[in-house]
Amino acid sequence: MKPMRIFYAALIFIFGIIASSCDTIIVNADEDTKTVAICFPNTTPSWQRNGDALKKLLEEENFVVDMKFSDTVEKQQADVEEVIKHRPKCIVIGAIDSAAFVDTLKPAKDLKIPVIAFDRIIFNTDAVSYYASFDNDSIGDGMGEYFEAALNLKSGEGPYNIELFAGGDSDNNAHIFFNNTMKILEPYFNSGQLVCKSGQKTFADACVADWNSENARPRIKELLTKYYAEDTLNVVLSPNDEIAGVILEEFAAAGKPFPIISGLDGDPKAFERIRQGQQTFTISKDPDVLTAKCVRMIKAVVEGTQPDINDVSTYDNGVIVVPAYLCTPMIIDKTNVDMVKNQ
Ligand code: BGC
């Protein structure tokens, strides 16, 4: 071999050693460190609040946090693939699309990395170890029951005009919330106490793509001009606070009296709107409550012990029934808004 070729071959050999030892260093470092990967959407401020709260608590427990926020399903799948390569002790996922992780999570299962589904269940995979969330059924029920009481529907009052909004189609929670609320409201549609003048009553009619509140704007504008130019829209089912904010902006822009309207999350802006008499209520999902439960779950799986769970039957993901801890949400309206802290 000519001297120059020997020089290049030696260089390639040395780089090869450095590259392979770098790989080893990454894996070894993570083996010694208690790294937890968090892959969340950045679609609404509530995810940012939950992510920040979780990170803070984990760092207080001496975990190293590898935090990823993403706004598309593809980016989130890439995030999860990336974090798996670094072999964290646990991966916490707030899924943008509940059904998009079947293949992505196979390597996590092979490497025995525990996966916790946060707030949203993950479907069709046995790679999910646990689910930490709020009681989603009770959120949907809570919205229906609040309307039922506020409108005195049980005493036969009405008719009231109502329009319906639901969350994003690819999120299982959105379906639970809407179906549970509708189960409670359906008898009142049948009795004529609730009237949906647009006739847009199915989930497909009502859903707001990707939970993106701006996607609700054109529809509420159109509903107000087309069906309520001369009439009052008394009630609006809004699946969360962000969307309620946009709906109320359009009521204000159209010069319409604010409706009885729901919300979800306990967004500080929603508390403010409740104080000002604009939003009727929100169902608060205190990030401190859920993240504290989730951190206990993470510690248990990392230490190889049994985490605290309170539900072993509700969340059949199509392959396994995922053991869950479901926290209790809280209804906040003008009667108790001053007792809550701004989250
Ligand atoms: C959560 C809601 C949240 C929504 C949009 C749902 O899965 O349960 O709390 O407002 O996603 O991020």
Side-chain angles (χ1 to χ4, degrees):
M1 216 187 261
K2 290 200 174 133
M4 211 44 192
R5 288 213 188 121
I6 293 172
F7 175 69
Y8 284 130
L11 267 187
I12 290 164
F13 181 69
I14 290 164
F15 277 130
I17 291 177
I18 292 172
S20 67
S21 64
C22 279
D23 278 354
T24 321
I25 288 166
I26 289 170
V27 172
N28 280 345
D30 279 354
E31 269 166 21
D32 291 341
T33 330
K34 291 196 300 173
T35 302
V36 173
I38 302 174
C39 299
F40 275 5
N42 63 359
T43 44
T44 57
S46 63
W47 283 106
Q48 192 68 49
R49 285 198 298 277
N50 275 293
D52 293 345
L54 192 52
K55 184 167 189 286
K56 185 166 169 275
L57 280 186
L58 283 168
E59 285 172 352
E60 280 166 17
E61 298 280 348
N62 298 320
F63 284 98
V64 171
V65 178
D66 183 4
M67 181 93 161
K68 310 252 186 246
F69 284 103
S70 42
D71 46 17
T72 65
V73 178
E74 295 72 27
K75 166 78 170 52
Q76 193 172 44
Q77 285 168 329
D79 284 350
V80 173
E81 277 166 16
E82 176 62 25
V83 301
I84 291 172
K85 285 188 200 151
H86 293 261
R87 301 192 186 197
K89 300 287 184 220
C90 177
I91 305 174
V92 184
I93 302 177
I96 294 180
D97 181 337
S98 307
F101 289 94
V102 179
D103 295 330
T104 316
L105 284 179
K106 275 188 186 138
K109 172 89 182 173
D110 295 342
L111 293 166
K112 297 191 171 50
I113 302 170
V115 173
I116 295 176
F118 186 95
D119 193 64
R120 299 175 176 176
I121 193 67
I122 298 174
F123 282 135
N124 302 326
T125 168
D126 62 355
V128 184
S129 319
Y130 294 99
Y131 178 38
S133 187
F134 279 86
D135 182 341
N136 296 305
D137 284 301
S138 82
I139 290 174
D141 292 346
M143 290 190 187
E145 285 159 4
Y146 193 100
F147 289 137
E148 191 177 47
L151 301 169
N152 278 320
L153 295 173
K154 277 190 178 161
S155 324
E157 283 190 22
Y160 295 107
N161 292 324
I162 182 169
E163 294 294 339
L164 310 161
F165 286 77
D169 187 32
S170 61
D171 170 22
N172 181 55
N173 290 356
H175 293 265
I176 301 178
F177 302 152
F178 188 78
N179 292 342
N180 281 36
T181 306
M182 287 304 270
K183 236 180 262 161
I184 292 174
L185 299 186
E186 205 55 60
Y188 304 111
F189 283 110
N190 295 338
S191 67
Q193 287 169 269
L194 290 179
V195 179
C196 179
K197 288 183 74 175
S198 70
Q200 295 166 12
K201 279 180 60 196
T202 64
F203 183 89
D205 294 328
C207 77
V208 175
D210 306 323
W211 282 98
N212 181 339
S213 54
E214 280 309 318
N215 293 336
R217 200 182 290 282
R219 186 163 164 257
I220 184 63
K221 259 188 200 228
E222 187 182 318
L223 290 171
L224 287 173
T225 46
K226 201 162 165 188
Y227 301 97
Y228 301 96
E230 306 297 329
D231 212 343
T232 305
L233 174 50
N234 309 106
V235 188
V236 177
L237 171 67
S238 164
N240 76 359
D241 291 333
E242 277 271 302
I243 294 172
V246 165
I247 292 171
L248 288 168
E249 277 170 23
E250 290 306 317
F251 268 75
K256 295 274 177 196
F258 292 124
I260 291 182
I261 184 167
S262 54
L264 171 66
D265 286 335
D267 188 329
K269 287 189 189 149
F271 294 151
E272 202 37 49
R273 287 192 294 265
I274 291 171
R275 285 191 192 99
Q276 290 169 2
Q278 297 181 5
Q279 185 170 330
T280 317
F281 71 102
T282 179
I283 300 189
S284 171
K285 296 167 64 172
D286 186 340
D288 290 348
V289 172
L290 180 57
T291 52
K293 269 294 161 200
C294 187
V295 167
R296 288 184 61 180
M297 225 176 224
I298 294 166
K299 283 180 77 180
V301 294
V302 170
E303 285 158 14
T305 59
Q306 274 295 317
D308 202 10
I309 47 175
N310 64 2
D311 184 288
V312 286
S313 59
T314 309
Y315 287 95
D316 183 340
N317 79 348
V319 179
I320 52 167
V321 178
V322 185
Y325 194 97
L326 305 177
C327 305
T328 306
M330 194 177 162
I331 293 182
I332 307 292
D333 65 5
K334 63 176 186 310
T335 63
N336 59 354
V337 68
D338 288 326
M339 292 183 313
V340 294
K341 64 179 173 44
N342 268 348
Q343 292 155 8

